[in-house]
Amino acid sequence: MLRATSELEFSNEQNTEEISQLASLVLSGDTSTGEKNSTGLPEKTGYPDSVYIMAANIFQGIRFEKSPEKVLIKYGNEPLRSLPESEDESSQRSSYELAFSALKFQDILEAILIDSCIFPSTTIPDHLSSLIIVMLYDFQDRKFEARFLSDNEEPIAEVQEVENLLNSFKIKLAAALARCRIKHDALSIYHILPETVRNQELRASTLPLYAWINTCKISPEEVYYSLKKRGYNKVKSVLHIDDKVFAVDQHCYDVLIFPSHLKNNLLNIDLFKDYKLIFQDKSRSLAVHSVKALLNMDDDILMVNTGSWYTVAHMSILTNNNTSKIFVCGVKSQAKDPDLKNLFTKMGCKNIEILHEAFLNIESKDHRLQKVKVILLLPRCSGLGVSNPVEFILNEHEDTGLLKDFSQGGTSEDKLHILVQQQYEQLTHAMKFTKAQAVVYCTCSVYPEENEGVVKKALEFQDHGIKVQPYSGTHLRQCL
């Protein structure tokens, strides 16, 4: 139970006026907020209780731990109880985005809680600290305005308690936030973020969306026609265009490009609901197209560390007219097999075989892989080349720890060293499959150590005339 040690004695009218003034002071010049409003999106009204709970649990797992002498706020170890209905895709996306935002501002939010006297002047159970952090971030993002509550939602006691606490301290919170902004001489708390993080966010806000066409279910021409009926116009480029438009990617003939602000609208049309169009990072489409360019009609493919099953499906669809078989290794749990087969059936994929062994445990002389001519290696990497880390985690089943790296604008040297070593081991193991004619190596990293560096080192391992193919001008690829 949360208990404030003192009650604020302002009338509702005084509260509203002062909060409005303080929020204006704090958030004036916040370019990110202004950009969102300029696109015509509705004002923020808060999230359902279940999203706050899930976001708090995510934040608890990725928050920055401090040395004992620097600890301002104690966090518990037990996760909060979440509701089953909070597991849908929309709620997951909102929860990850909220947790990521809170993580970026963890130090600032903790300082505001101390400055406003919420800590240590209230008796707060440690296990609710993460919930307070994520709800405080959202509270200030709403300019300390009240949250819209749906009549259809079941309230969660912990969320209600934290919300009441924050509301009772909202003037002190707004004042503390204003002082923080003034202390750092920043237009908004957004401008307190490291420049590398702000540049990443700016880049992400300007990059378009990519979606590939499932040609097993629909032709490109049918997709163009369907989109045109819904008011989308085909153009040559979608950069800096706010209208309902799309373009065909110059590298991958089956990939369409949309302005980023259209995503919520697109998710609600049948093309996406029926697996006819699939959102995915362009790097994955480049990878499978690079493999396709290297294949003969009856060549098999071995895929390693695929991440998203959509990558496997895309590879299958591109080889639908071949007799190729696609082997996917590293699926540890056989319990997933029925779900995967159901997904592949819905998408029209027929030539996929799942291997449960880890790649490093599969020998090159394995009888199942003697017709494999191309190995597609998508190793775990720092991931800092992706535009939206939340989407990347959800779509590619990546570790949530990626959010911590993004919030700092880089990966630690120790972690990078571990990733590079894993990549080297997998790449050199792939080169042992002497019947394979090519290895396509694809990362989402901006670090040379994970790209040219690991490839160069792997080439030194093998001295039988193997070399890196130059960029072809048609597909981005590094082929061994």
Side-chain angles (χ1 to χ4, degrees):
M1 197 71 179
L2 306 183
R3 297 188 298 276
T5 58
S6 62
E7 295 291 331
L8 296 175
E9 299 177 350
F10 298 96
S11 68
N12 288 336
E13 290 183 0
Q14 289 172 318
N15 284 348
T16 301
E17 182 180 359
E18 189 166 354
I19 288 293
S20 177
Q21 292 172 350
L22 287 169
S24 177
L25 174 65
V26 172
L27 297 171
S28 62
D30 189 335
T31 56
S32 60
T33 302
E35 288 170 359
K36 291 178 182 177
N37 290 339
S38 68
T39 62
L41 295 177
E43 293 292 333
K44 296 181 176 67
T45 57
Y47 299 96
D49 286 13
S50 57
V51 168
Y52 291 119
I53 294 292
M54 194 190 305
N57 287 336
I58 295 169
F59 176 81
Q60 175 70 13
I62 60 176
R63 64 180 175 81
F64 292 102
E65 304 227 12
K66 301 178 181 178
S67 57
E69 65 274 10
K70 294 183 179 181
V71 170
L72 299 176
I73 296 174
K74 294 181 179 180
Y75 295 87
N77 298 317
E78 296 298 320
L80 297 170
R81 177 182 61 88
S82 60
L83 301 177
E85 57 266 27
S86 66
E87 298 300 322
D88 67 89
E89 184 177 341
S90 176
S91 294
Q92 283 191 338
R93 181 174 288 104
S94 296
S95 301
Y96 273 96
E97 288 173 348
L98 180 56
F100 183 37
S101 296
L103 180 68
K104 287 182 289 187
F105 295 101
Q106 180 180 336
D107 287 344
I108 297 172
L109 295 171
E110 289 181 348
I112 289 169
L113 289 170
I114 298 293
D115 189 21
S116 63
C117 297
I118 286 185
F119 286 89
S121 65
T122 54
T123 305
I124 301 174
D126 291 350
H127 74 281
L128 290 184
S129 295
S130 291
L131 182 59
I132 292 173
I133 290 287
V134 298
M135 291 189 68
L136 174 57
Y137 174 81
D138 180 56
F139 196 26
Q140 67 80 32
D141 200 36
R142 301 196 315 267
K143 302 182 182 180
F144 300 98
E145 295 291 335
R147 178 169 64 113
F148 172 78
L149 299 174
S150 172
D151 294 333
N152 300 324
E153 185 191 0
E154 179 183 349
I156 299 176
E158 293 90 340
V159 174
Q160 303 299 311
E161 292 175 18
V162 170
E163 188 163 44
N164 290 337
L165 175 74
L166 295 178
N167 278 324
S168 72
F169 274 82
K170 62 182 178 181
I171 290 179
K172 289 188 176 182
L173 288 168
L177 184 53
R179 287 191 292 272
C180 177
R181 192 272 298 170
I182 294 170
K183 175 184 176 182
H184 289 87
D185 193 24
L187 293 174
S188 71
I189 62 169
Y190 169 78
H191 292 91
I192 302 175
L193 290 174
E195 185 177 3
T196 53
V197 177
R198 283 187 279 122
N199 288 340
Q200 283 175 347
E201 294 201 346
L202 179 61
R203 174 175 171 269
S205 68
T206 59
L207 287 178
L209 300 170
Y210 293 91
W212 53 271
I213 301 170
N214 183 349
T215 52
C216 280
K217 304 191 76 171
I218 193 170
S219 69
E221 291 72 25
E222 289 173 316
V223 171
Y224 307 156
Y225 179 74
S226 180
L227 288 171
K228 188 174 181 180
K229 283 177 60 179
R230 290 169 172 79
Y232 293 85
N233 295 314
K234 185 179 178 184
V235 295
K236 290 185 177 180
S237 173
V238 302
L239 294 180
H240 312 300
I241 296 180
D242 292 331
D243 298 330
K244 294 175 68 174
V245 297
F246 69 94
V248 179
D249 183 72
Q250 63 175 329
H251 299 115
C252 308
Y253 64 85
D254 62 345
V255 172
L256 301 185
I257 314 172
F258 298 90
S260 58
H261 68 88
L262 295 176
K263 182 158 190 178
N264 288 336
N265 293 333
L266 291 167
L267 285 172
N268 291 321
I269 67 176
D270 292 340
L271 288 172
F272 286 90
K273 292 180 179 179
D274 298 337
Y275 296 106
K276 294 177 181 177
L277 271 177
I278 293 91
F279 281 124
Q280 197 171 21
D281 191 87
K282 182 181 172 179
S283 65
R284 297 319 193 211
S285 295
L286 285 169
V288 295
H289 273 276
S290 297
V291 172
K292 176 66 166 60
L294 297 166
L295 290 176
N296 295 313
M297 288 294 292
D298 60 346
D299 292 342
D300 290 345
I301 305 156
L302 177 61
M303 299 184 69
V304 184
N305 297 335
T306 56
S308 173
W309 295 111
Y310 290 149
T311 307
V312 180
H314 198 179
M315 188 75 263
S316 173
I317 289 161
L318 287 178
T319 57
N320 185 54
N321 295 324
N322 298 13
T323 57
S324 301
K325 184 177 290 187
I326 299 170
F327 294 94
V328 185
C329 63
V331 184
K332 297 179 182 178
S333 174
Q334 296 189 23
K336 292 182 179 180
D337 286 6
D339 292 337
L340 293 177
K341 289 178 182 178
N342 183 46
L343 173 65
F344 293 146
T345 299
K346 286 181 179 179
M347 298 187 72
C349 305
K350 301 176 181 177
N351 58 343
I352 299 169
E353 184 170 329
I354 296 172
L355 308 179
H356 295 287
E357 302 97 316
F359 176 54
L360 295 180
N361 293 333
I362 298 177
E363 295 185 4
S364 60
K365 58 185 179 182
D366 190 303
H367 70 279
R368 297 167 296 183
L369 307 179
Q370 295 310 297
K371 289 181 61 180
V372 167
K373 292 298 186 287
V374 181
I375 299 174
L376 173 55
L377 179 55
L378 302 165
R380 281 198 63 222
C381 65
S382 60
L384 293 181
V386 303
S387 59
N388 188 322
V390 169
E391 292 293 341
F392 188 67
I393 287 170
L394 292 175
N395 294 338
E396 303 295 328
H397 311 298
E398 283 292 330
D399 184 2
T400 54
L402 176 64
L403 296 180
K404 187 178 289 189
D405 295 336
F406 262 84
S407 70
Q408 295 181 306
T411 302
S412 69
E413 289 188 12
D414 289 343
K415 182 176 179 179
L416 186 62
H417 176 75
I418 292 171
L419 289 170
V420 168
Q421 183 59 32
Q422 292 173 348
Q423 293 154 2
Y424 172 75
E425 289 174 359
Q426 292 183 344
L427 190 50
T428 52
H429 187 66
M431 294 166 66
K432 295 176 182 177
F433 288 73
T434 54
K435 290 190 176 181
Q437 297 175 348
V439 176
V440 176
Y441 176 83
C442 175
T443 76
C444 294
S445 171
V446 296
Y447 291 114
E449 294 94 325
E450 296 184 275
N451 294 306
E452 300 92 333
V454 74
V455 171
K456 182 179 179 180
K457 185 178 179 182
L459 287 174
E460 294 171 355
F461 164 81
Q462 194 75 290
D463 60 357
H464 300 302
I466 300 175
K467 61 183 179 179
V468 175
Q469 296 288 342
Y471 171 64
S472 69
T474 303
H475 302 294
L476 288 173
R477 69 190 186 214
Q478 286 182 309
C479 305
L480 296 180

